[in-house]
Amino acid sequence: MSGRRRTALVTLACAVCAVGCNQPEPAAQTVRVQAAIVQLLPLQGRTASGILDLSPIGGGLAVEGELQGLRGELYELRAHRLGDCTDPRGRSAGEEYAFNDPVTGRDVDGSMVTIESNPSGEVTVSGRFRGGRLSGALSLRGRSVVLHRIDREEDGSVIDTRVACGVVGIAREGDSAG
């Protein structure tokens, strides 16, 4: 390829990039998520697992599902900031997902549902995550849900152990929202 032709192609490529880079991206449509699902998988050395269904209800999310392999009495499902369950101890999920709800003005922490296990280690989950969302800027979509086992020591201290983790995925979409 001649030097003049190469220079012309490079100039054309730069012009295309400059024009394309200065153009605003098309506005993304917001998808209204009607239902989400979380498959909780056990973290290293743990046995807890399950499936959760999340669906919008007035002021939050309905949290329904089945858990098994629970060893202990008290558990809590918590939303976490990052959608990453790759760390064997669940630390890659990041901090609890907490925010100030601009609609209600209330603070929302990551605590979704508290669960008391039965002797079989299996439990049906049915609860409500106040302030949780599946659509919009504060959506849980793509974030993690972590199952924490809560143990109280004789001295009154609390030991909080991450035992299962899953990422919130879309189960059903609805109409586009503006």
Side-chain angles (χ1 to χ4, degrees):
M1 179 183 304
S2 74
R4 185 179 293 175
R5 187 169 180 192
R6 185 178 305 130
T7 302
L9 287 174
V10 169
T11 303
L12 178 62
C14 289
V16 168
C17 180
V19 170
C21 292
N22 289 327
Q23 296 297 318
E25 290 187 30
Q29 277 189 321
T30 301
V31 175
R32 187 174 336 172
V33 177
Q34 295 178 340
I37 190 166
V38 181
Q39 180 180 10
L40 292 169
L41 297 175
L43 295 170
Q44 184 177 42
R46 311 294 177 201
T47 58
S49 64
I51 299 284
L52 300 173
D53 296 309
L54 307 175
S55 57
I57 56 173
L61 296 174
V63 181
E64 309 285 330
E66 302 287 329
L67 301 176
Q68 56 274 337
L70 304 180
R71 295 182 180 164
E73 291 183 18
L74 188 62
Y75 289 83
E76 190 169 78
L77 287 165
R78 297 182 191 159
H80 283 258
R81 197 170 51 85
L82 305 175
D84 183 354
C85 293
T86 58
D87 180 70
R89 292 180 30 204
R91 298 292 178 209
S92 56
E95 301 171 1
E96 282 187 40
Y97 183 54
F99 58 91
N100 179 271
D101 188 331
V103 174
T104 65
R106 287 184 264 170
D107 289 331
V108 176
D109 67 16
S111 299
M112 296 175 77
V113 177
T114 300
I115 302 155
E116 290 189 42
S117 175
N118 60 28
S120 72
E122 297 177 1
V123 70
T124 299
V125 176
S126 180
R128 181 178 182 168
F129 177 31
R130 294 189 188 281
R133 297 188 180 136
L134 296 178
S135 299
L138 299 174
S139 173
L140 290 182
R141 199 172 58 201
R143 299 188 190 280
S144 297
V145 173
V146 177
L147 180 62
H148 294 252
R149 185 179 68 221
I150 311 299
D151 294 312
R152 299 202 187 277
E153 296 294 306
E154 288 181 20
D155 65 0
S157 63
V158 175
I159 298 174
D160 175 333
T161 306
R162 297 176 188 207
V163 297
C165 185
V167 177
V168 178
I170 297 173
R172 188 174 63 247
E173 294 179 342
D175 298 332
S176 296

